[in-house]
Amino acid sequence: ATRAGSHREAAAHLRLVLRHRDRFGPAERADLLERFAVESYTIGDAGAAVAAQGDAVALRRELGDLRALGADLRWLSRIHWWAGDADAAQAAAREALTVLEQAGDEGLLALALSNTAQLRMLSDEYAQAVDYGERAMALARSVDDTAILAHALNNVGSARWRSGDPAGQRQLEESLRVALAAGEVEHACRAYANIVWFLLDDLRLADADRFLTPAMDLADRAEHLGFLTYLQVERALHRFAAGDWAAAERFALLGTDVFPPARCPALTVLARVRIRRGTGGGGELLDRAWRIALDTRELQRLAPVAAARAEAAWLRGDPAGVLAAAEPVHAQARRLSAPPHLPELGYWLGKAGRAVPLDGSGHPYALQAAGQWDKAARLWQEAGCPYEHAAALAESPDPADKLSALLTLDAMGALPLARLVRGELRALGVRHVPRGPHAATRRNPAGLTSRQLQVLRLLVQGLTNAEIASRLVVSVRTVDNHVRAVLEKLDAPTRRLAAARAAELGLLG
């Protein structure tokens, strides 16, 4: 089953066998436990993986085989990270290195070094990550092990990319090519996942999409369900940034009850959609995400939750809440020099009246913090982030810009921010501020009116505009206007694409 890529089946067989574990000797029992742990990790069952691998390590200690003990400690470190326990992952990694330095197996030592590089990278200790990773790469090349080379390239490339070194992306993509050529699905999936994550951090949504599709296909075909879920959560992050909140929710829901590194961003996406729509429940989701983030100790988990909490506080008019949410994590980001998180956290602190050093990164949030809302709005628009584009535009002193922002926010159902913009327009003396969308319009994610929904459903049935006009007893010209509005709101250039988009959003009843 394992060789065929049927990892759920393999885990099920091993689970059955391990019910009779006392019938096996210690060495064979340890082998079975390790195999079950790896299969459970592969299908995303972190709890079963941790328990089985912990038992395997205990048996290896009794047996005194340093090579096998070191290999299992390395796996235990990885599985603890997957389960969201940073401290246990670090402890197992340190012991794995100590044991394998005595075991005389350069390949396993290379993998332990690379594993340590990965943990250093995830902790934003980039120089140490590169040091450990380069030692692992040298050993992997000396023993001609392409799987370990792919693993180490991934960690070194990731550390360099995160630290702002352009060579990082090239190394990470090399890791992907090496893993694919060697048929190493786990290493390829991890390379895909890291590439997509960093591209999203860089606001390169189109590039991220180019990697996401083959990544999800590979993970699905190879039944690497843990990575498939992780990639689905990354798809949720992608759709959230692109303003497609219905799809973001749909993909994020797939990750709400899985292993912590995927569950934390999934809960954060769901929370931010609710916060931006003003539908309630976002705070509870963020509390759950925050508890997970604290256990991981990783800025890549902590910072998005902190930013979401800060945004929620600002939208409800609570500057003290903004400071409480953003200030500690912003300080951590400054110490670690983590560019993706500093600009947004600094922006929210500035909104709450806390002066922070200006960020020269050129990130749109940094530009907004510096008062350059117009440049920021242009960058958000170029990146394909409509909510952020509207929020930047709303910072303009010109009522015309605020009105333009309001149109976007109303179409997206972003009620809290739209309410604030309306208040600013009235304060500026604008006499005819457009009213918000009717409640019936807000109940659907595309912001269609009741009549537009009727037109859409008839359009999907294949009716012409004249036939729709006859059915609804209105003029053809009226239907023409409704169809044009429907296509614009669904961002669909054709009727067929509008039908597909409507089905995706659940608008067809």
Side-chain angles (χ1 to χ4, degrees):
T2 299
R3 284 196 299 271
S6 299
H7 297 290
R8 281 175 293 194
E9 191 78 7
H13 283 305
L14 287 159
R15 188 180 294 108
L16 286 171
V17 170
L18 285 166
R19 290 179 185 174
H20 308 279
R21 66 182 67 187
D22 292 340
R23 300 170 69 172
F24 300 92
E28 193 171 7
R29 197 184 320 154
D31 288 341
L32 289 167
L33 285 163
E34 179 198 309
R35 289 172 62 190
F36 178 58
V38 173
E39 293 300 329
S40 298
Y41 156 82
T42 302
I43 63 174
D45 188 348
V50 167
Q53 193 64 16
D55 289 347
V57 166
L59 284 168
R60 299 295 190 198
R61 291 190 199 283
E62 294 174 9
L63 291 164
D65 181 341
L66 290 182
R67 182 184 179 281
L69 174 60
D72 273 0
L73 282 166
R74 201 287 306 181
W75 262 117
L76 183 61
S77 174
R78 173 62 178 168
I79 291 169
H80 272 310
W81 178 85
W82 200 249
D85 191 339
D87 289 343
Q90 294 279 7
R94 286 193 297 270
E95 189 180 359
L97 267 180
T98 300
V99 169
L100 288 170
E101 282 171 347
Q102 305 169 48
D105 187 315
E106 291 190 333
L108 285 176
L109 178 58
L111 190 53
L113 286 165
S114 186
N115 180 74
T116 301
Q118 181 182 7
L119 293 174
R120 292 288 187 272
M121 177 269 295
L122 291 165
S123 300
D124 298 284
E125 298 170 17
Y126 305 130
Q128 291 184 43
V130 170
D131 180 54
Y132 278 107
E134 288 184 335
R135 288 165 60 193
M137 287 163 56
L139 276 176
R141 288 191 171 104
S142 73
V143 297
D144 195 26
D145 192 315
T146 53
I148 299 173
L149 178 61
H151 192 279
L153 278 166
N154 187 322
N155 300 321
V156 174
S158 295
R160 286 189 167 135
W161 194 338
R162 280 189 163 186
S163 65
D165 184 344
Q169 181 172 353
R170 293 193 295 273
Q171 278 189 302
L172 195 42
E173 291 182 4
E174 183 186 355
S175 166
L176 175 60
R177 289 192 298 273
V178 171
L180 290 172
E184 292 289 339
V185 175
E186 185 208 355
H187 299 331
C189 286
R190 193 167 70 89
Y192 270 129
N194 285 350
I195 289 169
V196 170
W197 190 279
F198 300 148
L199 288 171
L200 291 174
D201 274 348
D202 291 347
L203 303 177
R204 294 161 60 186
L205 304 192
D207 289 338
D209 193 45
R210 183 166 54 85
F211 284 96
L212 260 173
T213 301
M216 293 175 72
D217 181 58
L218 173 64
D220 191 21
R221 281 187 291 106
E223 210 169 76
H224 270 253
L225 304 184
F227 270 113
L228 178 60
T229 304
Y230 198 89
L231 291 161
Q232 286 166 332
V233 172
E234 289 189 322
R235 176 70 80 186
L237 292 164
H238 182 282
R239 299 320 302 153
F240 175 74
D244 186 355
W245 292 346
E249 285 185 307
R250 190 169 67 252
F251 282 108
L253 283 168
L254 299 172
T256 54
D257 292 312
V258 297
F259 49 96
R263 195 188 324 151
C264 183
L267 292 169
T268 306
V269 168
L270 289 173
R272 295 196 89 161
V273 171
R274 293 188 184 188
I275 287 163
R276 289 183 176 184
R277 283 181 174 159
T279 54
E284 293 84 349
L285 292 169
L286 286 179
D287 287 344
R288 290 169 59 191
W290 183 248
R291 287 193 292 272
I292 296 169
L294 287 174
D295 286 340
T296 68
R297 306 188 190 284
E298 294 174 10
L299 198 61
Q300 65 173 335
R301 317 286 171 206
L302 292 162
V305 184
R309 285 178 145 184
E311 180 180 8
W314 182 74
L315 286 172
R316 65 174 181 263
D318 177 11
V322 175
L323 297 177
E327 210 155 28
V329 184
H330 180 263
Q332 181 181 345
R334 285 189 66 191
R335 287 196 302 272
L336 297 174
S337 302
H341 312 297
L342 272 173
E344 184 175 9
L345 292 168
Y347 169 75
W348 289 119
L349 289 173
K351 295 282 276 186
R354 174 75 77 241
V356 296
L358 288 178
D359 183 327
S361 65
H363 191 284
Y365 274 125
L367 294 173
Q368 283 177 257
Q372 300 178 45
W373 61 267
D374 49 345
K375 292 181 180 177
R378 186 171 65 252
L379 289 178
W380 286 124
Q381 188 172 41
E382 290 170 358
C385 302
Y387 180 88
E388 288 78 5
H389 171 247
L393 206 58
E395 294 178 353
S396 167
D398 187 341
D401 290 326
K402 292 185 184 294
L403 286 166
S404 178
L406 192 57
L407 287 174
T408 299
L409 296 171
D410 282 344
M412 297 182 73
L415 301 183
L417 184 53
R419 192 178 301 120
L420 292 176
V421 174
R422 283 188 167 82
E424 291 170 3
L425 285 165
R426 293 189 185 101
L428 288 170
V430 177
R431 299 179 63 182
H432 300 294
V433 179
R435 296 178 62 184
H438 190 272
T441 306
R442 296 198 298 266
R443 282 195 290 270
N444 71 78
L448 301 177
T449 65
S450 298
R451 177 63 91 185
Q452 287 166 353
L453 280 170
Q454 285 181 304
V455 169
L456 171 64
R457 288 165 182 164
L458 294 172
L459 178 153
V460 167
Q461 294 174 30
L463 274 64
T464 65
N465 286 11
E467 291 167 334
I468 294 172
S470 176
R471 184 77 62 89
L472 298 179
V473 196
V474 296
S475 71
V476 175
R477 187 170 186 175
T478 297
V479 172
D480 289 343
N481 291 333
H482 283 316
V483 169
R484 184 161 49 251
V486 166
L487 296 181
E488 286 177 358
K489 288 184 177 182
L490 292 175
D491 192 23
T494 67
R495 296 163 84 97
R496 185 167 68 175
L497 286 173
R501 183 88 175 97
E504 181 182 285
L505 294 173
L507 297 176
L508 300 183

